[in-house]
Amino acid sequence: MENKIENLTDSVLAPPSGGVGGSIHVFAPATVANVVCGFDVLGFAVNEPGDEVIMRVTGKPGITISKITGDNGRLPLDAAKNTVSVSVQHYLKSINRTDIGLDIELHKKMPIGSGLGSSSASTVAGLFAIKTLLGDDTDPATLLPFAMKGEEMACGHGHADNVAPALMGGFVLIRSYEPLDVIRLPHPKDLYCAIVFPDVDVPTREARQIIRKNIQMKDAVTQWGNIAGLVSGLFMNDINLIGRSMKDILVEPVRSMLIPDFYQMREMAMELGAVSFGISGSGPSVFAFTRDEETAKRITHKLQQHLTGISIGSNAYVSTINDKGPRVL
Ligand code: HSE
């Protein structure tokens, strides 16, 4: 069945005149949200993993989902309940094109509930697919409110720190939610990201429920100093400043309890030369920034070895920051 994806070539087929037609195959990347100190306001995209959507225009108005792979049966085929179709439907409504009929295949290429923006990657792939099929060449960032609807459905909160970098690529700051103000940040080109996903389930919805609702002023001061330090480090290309700013005293102390041997893994990563280490999104994935690919690989190897030793399976990815975001395959 997977062959079907390969067989669909590079693919926006020309739409018939006067209407929309054809099919498209799109990839959207995984993302690391929060970037340790920037809860709900910072995120970046990676090269892999990512999800794929194949979208076909059908003759009959409405959206169907004909196939989902790689989800172990966890995601709904019902288009009224799936974040991809629901976000696409919101977009179609906003442009008065609910006359269009679409069929969606979703191919999950990353674990669900991993803290790598799994639902965001799927949603963004769907939105980018319909936007491209319609020949809408506005900035992909205009799709952000629709992608946030998908997040709201997936975990009860429409945060943008996964969907914004998945859509726009690169490193992104959500300066404000109301009104939405999203800023693309520069970053050192030679920054590598080592990601390890320990195979334990941490649903974002639950990981959001356990965090503190009130914080002390002195903690807020520490946190916003670090966020400003990280953003300054990105602008100044100062990897040491980036590293020493990536500290989180608000969320990590609570969420780290859901991650096996989190502090031991940090120690190992730092000993091997990581610039920084922390939870990716709401976890359980963890990530480290490094100055080179070799160090990133040594870190993923060591952490995976450790997790195997405590009988926990894992996946690992090494990537630079993905500046492109979604792309047509
Ligand atoms: N900022 C979100 C959270 C990201 O930490 O809950 C979820 O991946």
Side-chain angles (χ1 to χ4, degrees):
M1 292 305 243
E2 288 286 312
N3 273 345
K4 214 165 171 189
I5 308 178
E6 314 300 325
N7 292 342
L8 257 170
T9 45
D10 317 323
S11 44
V12 192
L13 309 179
S17 59
V20 181
S23 68
I24 192 168
H25 184 178
V26 165
F27 165 91
T31 42
V32 172
N34 300 337
V35 202
V36 182
C37 51
F39 179 71
D40 276 359
V41 300
L42 285 174
F44 62 87
V46 290
N47 296 320
E48 57 145 3
D51 284 346
E52 293 175 26
V53 157
I54 297 170
M55 185 176 280
R56 297 182 185 84
V57 177
T58 63
K60 201 170 146 226
I63 304 179
T64 52
I65 301 177
S66 56
K67 190 196 275 186
I68 303 179
T69 64
D71 69 327
N72 289 326
R74 287 175 64 179
L75 300 177
L77 279 160
D78 179 349
K81 295 190 179 139
N82 188 293
T83 57
V84 181
S85 36
V86 168
S87 321
V88 169
Q89 184 66 23
H90 275 293
Y91 168 74
L92 288 178
K93 235 188 199 154
S94 78
I95 55 165
N96 285 324
R97 290 303 311 261
T98 44
D99 59 305
I100 294 173
L102 296 172
D103 180 65
I104 293 172
E105 279 186 27
L106 170 61
H107 299 280
K108 297 292 301 174
K109 306 277 177 171
M110 70 170 110
I112 296 171
S114 56
L116 293 172
S118 172
S119 57
S120 306
S122 303
T123 303
V124 165
L127 286 167
F128 193 74
I130 183 62
K131 178 179 184 297
T132 312
L133 274 175
L134 289 172
D136 168 0
D137 56 8
T138 55
D139 185 338
T142 55
L143 297 173
L144 201 48
F146 309 106
M148 288 166 68
K149 288 262 182 226
E151 287 297 78
E152 198 177 327
M153 195 174 168
C155 75
H157 187 266
H159 53 274
D161 50 342
N162 289 112
V163 281
L167 254 176
M168 299 159 67
F171 219 116
V172 177
L173 165 70
I174 296 98
R175 197 224 31 105
S176 157
Y177 275 88
E178 284 174 29
L180 198 57
D181 185 4
V182 177
I183 296 149
R184 188 84 188 271
L185 301 174
H187 59 85
K189 293 295 160 234
D190 47 356
L191 205 52
Y192 278 80
C193 179
I195 297 174
V196 174
F197 162 62
D199 193 1
V200 292
D201 208 10
V202 176
T204 299
R205 191 182 289 269
E206 274 125 71
R208 292 186 75 87
Q209 278 161 2
I210 62 169
I211 55 185
R212 293 191 267 162
K213 300 288 176 284
N214 298 301
I215 57 171
Q216 300 275 329
M217 179 60 87
K218 74 173 180 22
D219 289 344
V221 170
T222 304
Q223 197 82 6
W224 63 52
N226 280 325
I227 298 171
L230 170 53
V231 172
S232 305
L234 292 169
F235 271 94
M236 293 159 72
N237 239 335
D238 183 339
I239 294 183
N240 286 332
L241 175 56
I242 291 172
R244 70 176 186 273
S245 303
M246 285 173 64
K247 298 200 176 97
D248 171 22
I249 60 166
L250 301 182
V251 180
E252 184 184 280
V254 183
R255 283 186 172 169
S256 56
M257 292 188 287
L258 305 174
I259 301 170
D261 289 351
F262 175 78
Y263 291 103
Q264 270 166 272
M265 290 199 284
R266 162 174 289 162
E267 213 174 298
M268 289 174 200
M270 297 312 284
E271 261 169 26
L272 286 168
V275 169
S276 55
F277 179 89
I279 304 173
S280 172
S282 56
S285 289
V286 291
F287 78 104
F289 274 146
T290 67
R291 292 169 189 273
D292 59 81
E293 190 174 13
E294 208 38 58
T295 308
K297 283 185 175 158
R298 272 205 297 273
I299 290 171
T300 55
H301 180 74
K302 176 84 179 174
L303 299 191
Q304 286 201 281
Q305 213 173 31
H306 178 78
L307 289 167
T308 307
I310 55 170
S311 304
I312 293 176
S314 62
N315 293 18
Y317 312 92
V318 168
S319 171
T320 49
I321 293 170
N322 169 353
D323 284 315
K324 293 213 174 76
R327 63 176 195 271
V328 175
L329 294 175

